[in-house]
Amino acid sequence: MENIVHVIPYEVIFQVTEVNEVPPGVELIQAPAIWKETKGKGITVAILDTGCDSSHPDLQNQIIGGRNFTDDDGSNPDIYLDYNGHGTHVAGTIAAQKNDKGVVGVAPEASLLIVKVLNRKGSGQYDWIIAGINYAIEQKADIISMSLGGPTDLPELHEAIKKALATNILVVCAAGNEGDGDDSTDEFAFPGCYNEVISVGAINLERSPSDFTNSHNEIDLVAPGEKILSTYLNGKFATLSGTSMAAPHVSGALALIKGLVNNSFGRELSEPELYAQLIKRTVPLGFSPKLEGNGLVYLTVLEHLTNVFEKESKKLVLSSQ
């Protein structure tokens, strides 16, 4: 099988050696407001990507293991280092834990399982992806995050994803960057357009759809995907753009949501129930559903609605006195 799966194309805008901030994308989805209740502890996110810089100061404490399924390093399964940068950037958005200098991810106490299914060139074979999904299932991951895609609808890949869902794993995928800014035309990348996955489109930090984001009727929601600051190779940091950067915001958000709602419900919620909890935490941005799905992931929307309801209730009580 030829190498036709690839990282969702992305743009490296700049690299830096030092930063000290909560990235704007993490702020935009309101993640810091949830940290007083959970930072994702006890939730495992399997990142299917180009590997990870496992010695990065902001990531090393979150990584619990991994496996290499690619042809890098002589196909040694125990070496899942990142020679590309893409996987390390995705990992940081999900769960970077800021040290003295660095960045913080959406769910900074979530555990990361590094599943290397794309090689140093950012490309891979479908059977590597399938093997990676099966490995994540075996390792009992809570969430699978995939910022990758290809043009082929492969039944075996689809079946692997269905198997993951059947074991209660949430599968998050980047929608793809073949968009033309026109919601009347559809652009499809697999696995991002399968109905079973949570398909994530990109917006900029001004909350408008990115010109490059794919549009179709399987988009579930959107997240920040332009000028995203995160971890990078050799302990550095970089700003990247792409739906590749939007998907991990949602994967991190789900780590927070799963920790939050399992605790409040007092039981393990099913995949459909967790998906419903995610969609409850979105706000429409006013664009076509083909571009934004249900809207922007916004973790405090329920808290906001509760406050509004309480204020309105008090007004009603006062007016009736």
Side-chain angles (χ1 to χ4, degrees):
M1 202 176 294
E2 63 180 355
N3 286 356
I4 48 174
V5 185
H6 48 77
V7 294
I8 297 292
Y10 67 97
E11 176 190 6
V12 181
I13 300 170
F14 65 84
Q15 291 185 51
V16 291
T17 54
E18 283 186 16
V19 293
N20 186 17
E21 64 179 283
V22 178
V26 175
E27 291 274 17
L28 184 60
I29 68 167
Q30 300 292 294
I34 304 298
W35 292 342
K36 61 183 181 290
E37 297 173 78
T38 178
K39 290 185 176 181
K41 192 175 181 66
I43 305 298
T44 299
V45 183
I47 302 174
L48 275 64
D49 213 292
T50 60
C52 187
D53 177 3
S54 51
S55 63
H56 197 294
D58 288 8
L59 295 172
Q60 57 188 0
N61 293 332
Q62 314 318 114
I63 297 169
I64 58 170
R67 181 75 59 88
N68 171 36
F69 293 96
T70 76
D71 54 8
D72 280 354
D73 293 303
S75 301
N76 186 328
D78 298 321
I79 303 176
Y80 42 86
L81 292 174
D82 184 8
Y83 306 110
N84 180 281
H86 190 270
T88 300
H89 196 273
V90 166
T93 295
I94 295 172
Q97 192 173 64
K98 188 172 75 167
N99 292 279
D100 294 337
K101 292 170 183 168
V103 294
V104 62
V106 175
E109 291 181 3
S111 298
L112 298 178
L113 186 68
I114 307 303
V115 188
K116 183 169 174 171
V117 296
L118 301 172
N119 61 22
R120 66 182 67 235
K121 296 175 183 174
S123 63
Q125 299 177 1
Y126 274 105
D127 52 357
W128 298 350
I129 315 291
I130 294 164
I133 293 170
N134 288 328
Y135 173 72
I137 294 169
E138 289 164 15
Q139 298 299 308
K140 296 182 167 55
D142 296 281
I143 299 156
I144 290 174
S145 189
M146 290 192 279
S147 289
L148 51 82
T152 307
D153 177 3
L154 192 73
E156 292 88 345
L157 175 63
H158 202 174
E159 285 305 313
I161 287 168
K162 290 177 184 176
K163 182 180 170 187
L165 265 71
T167 59
N168 227 25
I169 297 175
L170 294 143
V171 181
V172 179
C173 293
N177 295 351
E178 294 84 32
D180 56 7
D182 182 356
D183 63 6
S184 67
T185 58
D186 293 339
E187 302 86 27
F188 296 107
F190 299 91
C193 63
Y194 288 136
N195 178 260
E196 290 83 2
V197 309
I198 298 168
S199 185
V200 185
I203 58 164
N204 60 28
L205 295 172
E206 288 73 48
R207 304 190 188 196
S208 293
S210 301
D211 290 340
F212 53 74
T213 192
N214 283 11
S215 61
H216 52 74
N217 60 10
E218 294 293 349
I219 301 292
D220 289 283
L221 74 170
V222 291
E226 288 190 48
K227 299 180 181 175
I228 303 304
L229 177 66
S230 186
T231 46
Y232 207 61
L233 299 180
N234 304 312
K236 293 182 181 179
F237 306 89
T239 300
L240 275 61
S241 290
T243 54
S244 276
M245 285 61 254
H249 281 90
V250 173
S251 299
L254 279 166
L256 296 179
I257 290 167
K258 186 165 184 177
L260 203 61
V261 299
N262 280 353
N263 186 47
S264 61
F265 278 80
R267 64 177 176 86
E268 288 282 321
L269 270 69
S270 67
E271 190 275 341
E273 287 176 316
L274 288 164
Y275 174 74
Q277 290 292 327
L278 171 66
I279 298 306
K280 280 181 182 178
R281 292 166 173 84
T282 57
V283 289
L285 300 176
F287 302 98
S288 163
K290 283 190 168 188
L291 278 170
E292 69 165 65
N294 291 278
L296 167 67
V297 58
Y298 200 78
L299 286 162
T300 59
V301 68
L302 295 183
E303 188 178 303
H304 173 70
L305 290 173
T306 300
N307 290 340
V308 170
F309 177 74
E310 286 174 353
K311 285 177 185 174
E312 292 301 318
S313 297
K314 286 174 184 174
K315 283 181 187 175
L316 287 170
V317 170
L318 288 170
S319 64
S320 64
Q321 289 176 347

